[in-house]
Amino acid sequence: MSNRCQKSVKKGFFRNSSLSHFIPFTFAELVNIIYKTISMSTVKENDVVRVHYKGKLSNGQEFDSSFEREPLKVELGKGQLIPGFEKGLLDMEVNQKKTITIKKEEAYGEVNKELFQKVPNANIPETIDPKEGMELVATGQDGSEQKLRVAEVNEDHIIVDANHPLAGHDLEFELELVEIV
């Protein structure tokens, strides 16, 4: 460090050589200003973020949480999140915590009655004893898989529901923004 710079530091000023004048901040003040600037950045569209969350139904029943595992890492604007969750992250600051309520229209939508199908017992493998609420997986001709829930069991058929399990529900999320990557 040159004598000139040492004198500047001792005086509590930093010399800005490109402007040839002194900036009136101590090193600690400058570090604090930089830290506040970094920590005050907020989530914007298309940011990649890491967030902890706890999801609950409106009756308080918890359906998912990341607090016991790694935070969710996601890029906003890519359709990876339900719209209400993504909107809730916008403008959050690192380490900020908040609770949001997401109406079903901004979550998984209404229950779609067209996604209920009647399946004759003859089409159910003998190894499966269907019970109401049981989850099944149907495999399409192209190899794709579709999760189904047994909605009703009758003597000669079952009714399966292909709606998302959270369809028709308003959701509440506790959010904690861990990082803007």
Side-chain angles (χ1 to χ4, degrees):
M1 188 181 297
S2 72
N3 274 346
R4 188 173 196 177
C5 192
Q6 285 179 345
K7 288 180 184 176
S8 296
V9 172
K10 287 179 184 176
K11 289 181 180 177
F13 293 94
F14 290 99
R15 182 168 175 78
N16 182 330
S17 60
S18 65
L19 299 176
S20 297
H21 66 278
F22 289 100
I23 301 172
F25 297 112
T26 66
F27 180 75
E29 289 171 327
L30 189 58
V31 167
N32 194 30
I33 289 168
I34 292 169
Y35 175 77
K36 284 183 179 178
T37 302
I38 291 169
S39 66
M40 289 181 62
S41 63
T42 60
V43 176
K44 295 166 194 59
E45 290 185 32
N46 302 314
D47 278 348
V48 175
V49 300
R50 290 177 3 109
V51 60
H52 272 302
Y53 65 90
K54 182 184 294 183
K56 299 179 190 176
L57 299 175
S58 55
N59 66 6
Q61 178 187 352
E62 184 178 316
F63 59 83
D64 195 12
S65 176
S66 71
F67 285 97
E68 299 298 320
R69 58 182 188 260
E70 287 294 312
L72 173 68
K73 182 178 179 182
V74 65
E75 183 174 356
L76 278 62
K78 299 293 183 187
Q80 298 171 340
L81 299 171
I82 57 175
F85 192 102
E86 187 163 318
K87 287 177 186 175
L89 290 171
L90 293 174
D91 299 322
M92 282 187 73
E93 297 175 4
V94 173
N95 297 321
Q96 181 181 352
K97 296 177 184 180
K98 72 177 183 180
T99 300
I100 60 172
T101 299
I102 303 173
K103 296 291 184 191
K104 57 188 161 196
E105 296 79 14
E106 291 285 310
Y108 295 97
E110 296 284 350
V111 172
N112 182 347
K113 297 293 182 192
E114 293 179 14
L115 294 179
F116 286 82
Q117 291 187 344
K118 181 178 177 179
V119 179
N121 286 348
N123 293 358
I124 301 171
E126 290 181 19
T127 57
I128 296 177
D129 181 22
K131 304 277 187 239
E132 194 170 314
M134 176 186 257
E135 290 187 1
L136 303 173
V137 177
T139 305
Q141 292 177 344
D142 63 353
S144 64
E145 293 185 343
Q146 172 71 44
K147 287 185 180 181
L148 306 169
R149 183 184 57 81
V150 177
E152 189 178 311
V153 178
N154 296 290
E155 194 171 307
D156 62 340
H157 69 278
I158 63 171
I159 305 291
V160 294
D161 176 7
N163 284 285
H164 189 283
L166 297 174
H169 294 280
D170 294 337
L171 308 176
E172 183 178 289
F173 283 94
E174 295 172 19
L175 304 176
E176 179 181 345
L177 185 64
V178 176
E179 178 183 18
I180 302 172
V181 181

